[in-house]
Amino acid sequence: MNMGMSLMKEFGLWVLGASLLCLATKSCSQVTAQVPGFFIFGDSLVDNGNNNGLVTLARANYRPYGIDFPQGASGRFTNGRTFVDALAQLLGFRNNIPPYARTRGRAILSGLNFASGAAGIRDETGNNLGDHISMNQQVNNFGNVVQQMRRYFRGDDNYLATYLSKCIFYSGLGSNDYLNNYFMRDFYNTGSQFTPQAYANSLIHDYTNQLTALYNLGARKVIVTAVGQVGCIPYQLARYNGTKNRCNEDINNAIMLFNSGLRKLVDRFNNGGLQGSQFVYLDSYQATKDLILNAQSYGFEVIDKGCCGVGRNNGQVTCLPLQQACRDRSTYIFWDAFHPTEAANIVTARLAYSERAPTYTYPINVQQLASL
C-alpha cells in the first residue's frame, strides 16, 4: 500500500463512528466530531449500562432512572444524560458513546464506555455492593479492544497508534475508594491500615500504574477527574450529625489529599513522565462546591436533597424501583443520594469543555485538548 492510500485509510477510520466510511477527504465535510474516538473509564457517575448484567446492587436499569433519557432506563445512574454523554455531545459526537458490555464490530472505533457502578482504583472497592468492573479490569477490557481494532487497520500498529493518539480518554475514579472502602469500616480494614495521607498515596500509586497502562495501549489525550465534594452529597447529609458544618469534612479533607496528589501526577506526566501525552486535570471537587454555592445562578433551587430517594435529604436509601421522583428535576443538583441530575451534568460538562470562566480544568480545557 502506498503512502497516499495509507493516509486515506487512516482518515476514513477516523470518522467511521460519526458517518459512513469516507472514500475521500471531500466526502467527510459533514462530519462534526472533533476527535475520532472517546473512551471512558470510571464508576457510576458515568456508567451507561455495563452493570446491567451483573449480580450487584449497583444497578440503575429500572425506572425512574432514565425518566428523561430517550431510551429510558439504560443503566445510567441519573434521570437523563451523564457528564460524559453531555461532553460527547459538546465534542461533536452524534450518538452517545456505547457501553463496552453490548458493543462489538466497527462501532468500537468511535469509542466505548468501560465504566462500572461501584468500581474503584482498588480491586476490592465496591465488593460490599456485589459484582463490579474495577479499574484494573476496565484497562484489561480496553486492551482486548485494542487487539480487536488491529483487524480494521490490517495489523498496521503504527496507524492504529496514530489513530488512538488523536482520541480522547476520560478517567474518573476514586469516589468509591472512599465511600465504599476507606470510610466503610464495618466492611473494610483500610481505614485502620492507612492514615488519610497514606491511603491517598496508595491510591495515587495504583492509579499511576493504571493510567500508565492506558498510555502503553495508545492513550495520549487523557482527562482525569478529581473526586467531588463527596462529604456534601445527600447520602452523607442524611447520616452526618456534625455541629459546625452541614457536610462531613472528615471525608472532604481525606479526598482533598487524593486530589492534590492527582494534580501533581498530571504535572509529572505532562513534564516528560509519559512522553508525548497531554493530561488534563478536571477539578470536580471545586466544580461541585461552586455549583452548590452559586446554585441560583445556574438555575438550581434544591442543593441538599435527592430528587428521588427515601429518608432524610432523600439520602438514606437511594431511588427505589418505580418510586415517584420530583417533578421539576431541572431545579435539583442531585438526582439521588449519590449522583447529580442531568441538568447538573450538563452544566459541569460545559464548564469543563469551554474557555469561559470559571474554569475547572488544568492546564488546558477539553476543547483545547481536542484540538491538539
Side-chain angles (χ1 to χ4, degrees), residues 351 354-359:
L351 291 171
S354 71
E355 295 178 336
R356 300 170 189 169
T359 179

Side-chain angles (χ1 to χ4, degrees), residues 63-370:
R63 297 270 288 183
Y65 287 95
I67 192 172
D68 298 310
F69 193 69
Q71 285 76 47
S74 62
R76 289 167 168 82
F77 289 74
T78 185
N79 58 304
R81 285 173 288 174
T82 66
F83 173 86
V84 291
D85 290 330
L87 193 58
Q89 188 172 12
L90 291 168
L91 287 167
F93 288 92
R94 297 181 181 181
N95 300 309
N96 293 316
I97 304 302
Y100 165 76
R102 300 197 303 272
T103 308
R104 298 294 182 270
R106 288 184 172 179
I108 66 176
L109 293 173
S110 59
L112 287 173
N113 187 323
F114 297 88
S116 170
I121 295 169
R122 294 175 67 94
D123 287 338
E124 83 277 6
T125 289
N127 282 348
N128 53 297
L129 295 171
D131 292 343
H132 61 278
I133 308 165
S134 70
M135 182 55 171
N136 281 324
Q137 291 173 291
Q138 291 179 38
V139 173
N140 288 339
N141 288 341
F142 177 64
N144 293 333
V145 167
V146 171
Q147 290 302 313
Q148 295 172 39
M149 284 182 171
R150 296 183 75 249
R151 76 183 68 167
Y152 300 108
F153 291 82
R154 297 177 183 255
D156 192 330
D157 291 338
N158 289 331
Y159 278 110
L160 174 56
T162 299
Y163 177 83
L164 289 173
S165 74
K166 300 180 187 301
C167 296
I168 283 184
F169 291 74
Y170 168 95
S171 183
L173 276 298
S175 296
N176 287 308
D177 291 294
Y178 286 95
L179 272 177
N180 289 299
N181 194 323
Y182 190 71
F183 283 98
M184 188 171 281
R185 290 171 181 172
D186 291 340
F187 198 94
Y188 300 94
N189 60 10
T190 48
S192 59
Q193 284 184 321
F194 296 94
T195 65
Q197 184 63 69
Y199 188 66
N201 293 345
S202 176
L203 290 178
I204 293 297
H205 175 270
D206 292 346
Y207 206 19
T208 299
N209 292 336
Q210 292 158 355
L211 293 172
T212 300
L214 285 181
Y215 171 85
N216 290 334
L217 288 167
R220 291 298 181 270
K221 300 181 183 182
V222 186
I223 304 163
V224 292
T225 65
V227 176
Q229 202 179 21
V230 172
C232 300
I233 63 175
Y235 176 81
Q236 289 299 327
L237 299 182
R239 287 160 173 75
Y240 184 61
N241 295 311
T243 56
K244 294 182 179 180
N245 301 306
R246 70 180 194 92
C247 301
N248 187 333
E249 296 301 339
D250 288 340
I251 291 181
N252 286 340
N253 290 335
I255 284 169
M256 285 192 288
L257 296 173
F258 170 80
N259 290 345
S260 176
L262 183 59
R263 178 160 170 155
K264 292 175 183 176
L265 179 62
V266 165
D267 277 334
R268 180 149 54 93
F269 283 161
N270 288 341
N271 292 330
L274 293 179
Q275 189 172 7
S277 68
Q278 177 64 64
F279 279 73
V280 169
Y281 172 78
L282 174 55
D283 193 347
S284 299
Y285 187 96
Q286 192 63 42
T288 54
K289 181 179 179 180
D290 289 352
L291 195 64
I292 292 171
L293 290 175
N294 303 298
Q296 289 188 340
S297 66
Y298 294 109
F300 297 109
E301 298 174 7
V302 185
I303 65 173
D304 58 351
K305 296 180 178 63
C307 171
C308 184
V310 177
R312 183 182 176 189
N313 296 84
N314 276 353
Q316 290 180 293
V317 178
T318 197
C319 195
L320 299 174
L322 304 180
Q323 185 178 352
Q324 185 69 42
C326 67
R327 290 186 178 182
D328 194 355
R329 295 174 283 279
S330 65
T331 64
Y332 279 69
I333 288 179
F334 293 102
W335 161 250
D336 62 11
F338 303 95
H339 308 98
T341 58
E342 176 186 68
N345 284 327
I346 291 172
V347 169
T348 52
R350 287 174 177 168
L351 291 171
Y353 176 78
S354 71
E355 295 178 336
R356 300 170 189 169
T359 179
Y360 301 104
T361 53
Y362 168 85
I364 59 176
N365 61 45
V366 175
Q367 186 176 28
Q368 292 167 327
L369 180 67

